[in-house]
C-alpha cells in the first residue's frame, strides 16, 4: 500500500470536499445554528435542528481549528453554532433538548444523554480554541450532569416500567471513553483517572463477552449479565469497533500495551463477525443467537460504521503492526470509497441497502451530520501520515 498516496487522499477529501460542503450549506445565517437536513446537492429539505448534531458540528469546526490550522472561518463557524446552543439548546440549567425548531423553540424534551455528551466535547474544544471561561463552565457543568445521570440516563423520560426488565446500554460508556480525553484539560487528575477506570471496566469487562467468542454486546442487565431478549441479543458491530479506537487512544495515554493489543483483537473479531460475506460491507445490527433482529434496517450498510472501522483498523496497524489490520483496512477502504463517496457532489452518502446501492441520497438528516465523515477522514489522514513518515510499508500477500 502507498501510505503517502493514501494520506493525501484522506487529507484532500476532508479539506477540499467535506468541510467546504458544511461551511457553504449548513450555517443558518438568519436564526443561527446549523441546518442538518441537506439533500444530495446541499439544499435544505427540513429546518428542524437536533442538539446532538448542532453540538457535533461545533465540535468539528473547533477541533479542526485546534488540530489542523488556525482558520478563522472554522472558528467563526464553531462560535456561530455555540451561540445558538447557548441561547436555545437547553432549559437554562444545561439540560440539553433533543430537538428544536429553526428559530430555537424546543420540540423534544432533554431525554437523550447524547445531547449532553456532545455538548460537553463541543464546548470543551471551543474553550481550547478561545480560552473563553464561559465555554469551560458549560462543558464542566454538563459533564457533572452526565455523571449524575449514569444510573438512569433518560431520567423521568425512561419508558421502561420501574422494576421490570432493566438493561444498560453500551453506547454511553463507549462515548464516555472518548469524552474523557476530549475534555482532559478541564478535569482534575483524580476525577479523570477514576472516570477512565470506570469506563474501561464497563467496556472491557461488562459488555465485552469472551464466552461469546470475544464479541461486544449492546445491552446487559444492570448486574452485568446477559439477557436472552431482543435487546439482550443485539449486536451493533459498528459501535463495538468504534469503541476500540477510543480504547487504543486510552491505551496510549496510559502506556498500556495490553489494552491496545486487546482492542486490536476485538476490532478484528468484530469486523469478521459483522462482515457481509455475500455482498460486502458491515451489517448495521445482528442477533448474537442468529435470530431475526427486531430492527428492520438491520442489513443496511451505514457510513459511520465503515468510517469508524477504518479508524480502528489503521490505528491498530499503526500501534501493533498487525498485518490482519492492514489487510482488513484495505478491504474496508475499497468498499467505503467505492460505495459511500459521491463522485458527482460533495460529501458522502450515508445509507446503502444490503447490496451496497444508495438507499437515501441525503448528505445530512436527523442522524447524519457534520461529524463521522470529517472526523474519520481526519483521524485516518493523521495516522496514515505518521505511518508514511516512518516508512512502514508492508506487502500484504
Amino acid at each position: 500500500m502507498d501510505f503517502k498516496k493514501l494520506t493525501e487522499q484522506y487529507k484532500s477529501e476532508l479539506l477540499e470536499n467535506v468541510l467546504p460542503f458544511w461551511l457553504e450549506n449548513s450555517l443558518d445565517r438568519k436564526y443561527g445554528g446549523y441546518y442538518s437536513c441537506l439533500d444530495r446537492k446541499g439544499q435544505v429539505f427540513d429546518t428542524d435542528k437536533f442538539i446532538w448534531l448542532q453540538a457535533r458540528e461545533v465540535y468539528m469546526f473547533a477541533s479542526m481549528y485546534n488540530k489542523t490550522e488556525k482558520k478563522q472561518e472554522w472558528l467563526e463557524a464553531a462560535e456561530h453554532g455555540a451561540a445558538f446552543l447557548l441561547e436555545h439548546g437547553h432549559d437554562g440549567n444545561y439540560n440539553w433538548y433533543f430537538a428544536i425548531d429553526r428559530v430555537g423553540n424546543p420540540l423534544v424534551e432533554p431525554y437523550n444523554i447524547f445531547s449532553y455528551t456532545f455538548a460537553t466535547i463541543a464546548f470543551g474544544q471551543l474553550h481550547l480554541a478561545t480560552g473563553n471561561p464561559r465555554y469551560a463552565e458549560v462543558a464542566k457543568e454538563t459533564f457533572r450532569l452526565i455523571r449524575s445521570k449514569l444510573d438512569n440516563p433518560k431520567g423521568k423520560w425512561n419508558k421502561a416500567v420501574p422494576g421490570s426488565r432493566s438493561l444498560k446500554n453500551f453506547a454511553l460508556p463507549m462515548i464516555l471513553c472518548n469524552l474523557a480525553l476530549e475534555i482532559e484539560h478541564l478535569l482534575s487528575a483524580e476525577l479523570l483517572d477514576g472516570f477512565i477506570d470506570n469506563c474501561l471496566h464497563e467496556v472491557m469487562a461488562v459488555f465485552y463477552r469472551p464466552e461469546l467468542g470475544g464479541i461486544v454486546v449492546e445491552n446487559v442487565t444492570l448486574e452485568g449479565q446477559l439477557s436472552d431478549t431482543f435487546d439482550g441479543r443485539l449486536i451493533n458491530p459498528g459501535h463495538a469497533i468504534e469503541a476500540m479506537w477510543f480504547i487504543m487512544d486510552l491505551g496510549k495515554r496510559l502506556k498500556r500495551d495490553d489494552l491496545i493489543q486487546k482492542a486490536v483483537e476485538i476490532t478484528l473479531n468484530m469486523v469478521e463477525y459483522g462482515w457481509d460475506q455475500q455482498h460486502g460491507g458491515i451489517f448495521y445490527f445482528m442477533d448474537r443467537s442468529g435470530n431475526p433482529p427486531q430492527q428492520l434496517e438491520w442489513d443496511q450498510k451505514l457510513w459511520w460504521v465503515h468510517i469508524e472501522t477504518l479508524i480502528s483498523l489503521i490505528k491498530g496497524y499503526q500501534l501493533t503492526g498487525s498485518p490482519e489490520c492492514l489487510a482488513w483496512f484495505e478491504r474496508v477502504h475499497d468498499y467505503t470509497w467505492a460505495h459511500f463517496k459521491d463522485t458527482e457532489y460533495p460529501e458522502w452518502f450515508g445509507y446503502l441497502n444490503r447490496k451496497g446501492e444508495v438507499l437515501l441520497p441525503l448528505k445530512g438528516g436527523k442522524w447524519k451530520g457534520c461529524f463521522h465523515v470529517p472526523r474519520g477522514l481526519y483521524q485516518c489522514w493523521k495516522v496514515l501520515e505518521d505511518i508514511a513518515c516512518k516508512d512502514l510499508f508492508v506487502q500484504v500477500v
Side-chain angles (χ1 to χ4, degrees):
M1 297 184 73
D2 187 338
F3 292 109
K4 186 175 180 181
K5 182 178 178 181
L6 283 169
T7 299
E8 185 55 37
Q9 180 177 351
Y10 281 85
K11 177 183 178 180
S12 62
E13 184 70 9
L14 172 66
L15 300 180
E16 299 171 17
N17 180 351
V18 173
L19 288 178
F21 173 87
W22 292 100
L23 273 176
E24 292 167 12
N25 299 304
S26 74
L27 275 67
D28 183 346
R29 300 292 186 182
K30 184 174 182 179
Y31 292 107
Y34 313 110
Y35 300 114
S36 295
C37 299
L38 303 175
D39 68 14
R40 184 182 183 190
K41 298 180 182 180
Q43 297 297 306
V44 178
F45 67 85
D46 195 279
T47 60
D48 285 350
K49 294 169 180 174
F50 308 96
I51 299 304
W52 71 320
L53 295 184
Q54 298 287 306
R56 282 176 162 190
E57 191 156 348
V58 171
Y59 165 81
M60 206 64 244
F61 281 114
S63 177
M64 289 298 94
Y65 178 84
N66 288 332
K67 299 174 182 177
T68 302
E69 184 180 346
K70 302 296 184 187
K71 277 190 159 186
Q72 192 61 27
E73 62 178 345
W74 290 347
L75 182 59
E76 290 174 357
E79 293 207 280
H80 172 86
F84 186 76
L85 282 173
L86 288 174
E87 185 173 357
H88 301 291
H90 59 92
D91 66 355
N93 294 306
Y94 301 127
N95 292 299
W96 299 89
Y97 298 114
F98 179 75
I100 57 181
D101 66 15
R102 182 186 177 189
V103 302
N105 298 308
L107 296 173
V108 180
E109 297 280 12
Y111 79 95
N112 193 304
I113 193 70
F114 300 106
S115 297
Y116 294 70
T117 60
F118 290 109
T120 301
I121 67 169
F123 285 100
Q125 278 294 316
L126 203 46
H127 173 257
L128 271 181
T130 65
N132 187 329
R134 175 76 193 284
Y135 298 147
E137 172 201 337
V138 175
K140 288 192 287 188
E141 176 58 18
T142 304
F143 183 56
R144 186 192 68 77
L145 290 171
I146 291 170
R147 301 200 316 276
S148 74
K149 293 172 174 287
L150 291 178
D151 291 336
N152 184 16
K154 293 185 179 180
K156 64 183 180 181
W157 297 286
N158 194 331
K159 293 185 292 185
V161 174
S164 64
R165 181 192 298 150
S166 296
L167 299 174
K168 59 180 179 178
N169 183 261
F170 176 68
L172 184 55
M174 176 198 80
I175 290 295
L176 295 180
C177 285
N178 179 245
L179 183 149
L181 292 182
E182 291 286 354
I183 62 165
E184 181 174 1
H185 62 289
L186 297 175
L187 305 179
S188 69
E190 182 181 6
L191 175 57
L192 180 66
D193 290 345
F195 190 71
I196 288 175
D197 286 346
N198 183 65
C199 290
L200 287 174
H201 171 76
E202 287 291 297
V203 171
M204 304 301 279
V206 177
F207 289 95
Y208 166 64
R209 310 302 296 206
E211 73 271 33
L212 297 178
I215 62 173
V216 176
V217 298
E218 275 292 292
N219 298 286
V220 295
T221 68
L222 298 183
E223 297 75 31
Q225 302 301 309
L226 294 173
S227 172
D228 189 13
T229 59
F230 269 126
D231 289 331
R233 294 189 302 269
L234 183 65
I235 304 294
N236 184 328
H239 261 171
I241 296 166
E242 180 181 3
M244 289 307 110
W245 74 260
F246 300 160
I247 299 297
M248 291 179 211
D249 283 355
L250 287 172
K252 284 175 61 179
R253 183 192 179 278
L254 299 171
K255 296 181 172 57
R256 285 187 54 187
D257 289 342
D258 63 313
L259 203 54
I260 293 171
Q261 289 287 350
K262 195 65 182 177
V264 169
E265 176 189 321
I266 296 171
T267 295
L268 292 170
N269 282 347
M270 293 305 303
V271 174
E272 291 172 6
Y273 185 89
W275 188 259
D276 183 347
Q277 296 294 339
Q278 184 175 356
H279 296 288
I282 299 168
F283 287 119
Y284 188 13
F285 292 114
M286 303 174 77
D287 183 289
R288 62 179 169 83
S289 297
N291 298 315
Q294 63 175 322
Q295 290 81 5
L296 301 182
E297 68 275 24
W298 68 274
D299 64 346
Q300 290 179 18
K301 309 296 167 59
L302 268 64
W303 82 107
W304 70 264
V305 171
H306 294 76
I307 291 169
E308 299 300 330
T309 298
L310 288 171
I311 301 172
S312 288
L313 289 169
I314 200 60
K315 278 183 183 269
Y317 174 70
Q318 176 197 33
L319 295 170
T320 69
S322 163
E324 293 84 6
C325 278
L326 190 59
W328 268 110
F329 175 80
E330 184 173 16
R331 190 175 187 181
V332 178
H333 165 91
D334 289 346
Y335 181 91
T336 302
W337 284 82
H339 292 85
F340 290 102
K341 177 175 167 54
D342 186 345
T343 57
E344 293 185 51
Y345 300 100
E347 245 284 351
W348 290 20
F349 297 119
Y351 302 89
L352 312 176
N353 65 19
R354 183 176 179 182
K355 294 181 179 179
E357 301 161 336
V358 175
L359 191 61
L360 295 172
L362 60 79
K363 298 297 175 59
K366 185 176 181 179
W367 309 108
K368 183 180 186 291
C370 179
F371 187 65
H372 284 287
V373 175
R375 186 180 71 165
L377 291 171
Y378 171 79
Q379 288 284 337
C380 289
W381 158 29
K382 287 300 178 180
V383 174
L384 287 162
E385 185 176 64
D386 178 70
I387 296 170
C389 287
K390 293 177 179 176
D391 292 325
L392 294 179
F393 294 95
V394 175
Q395 181 67 39
V396 180
V397 179

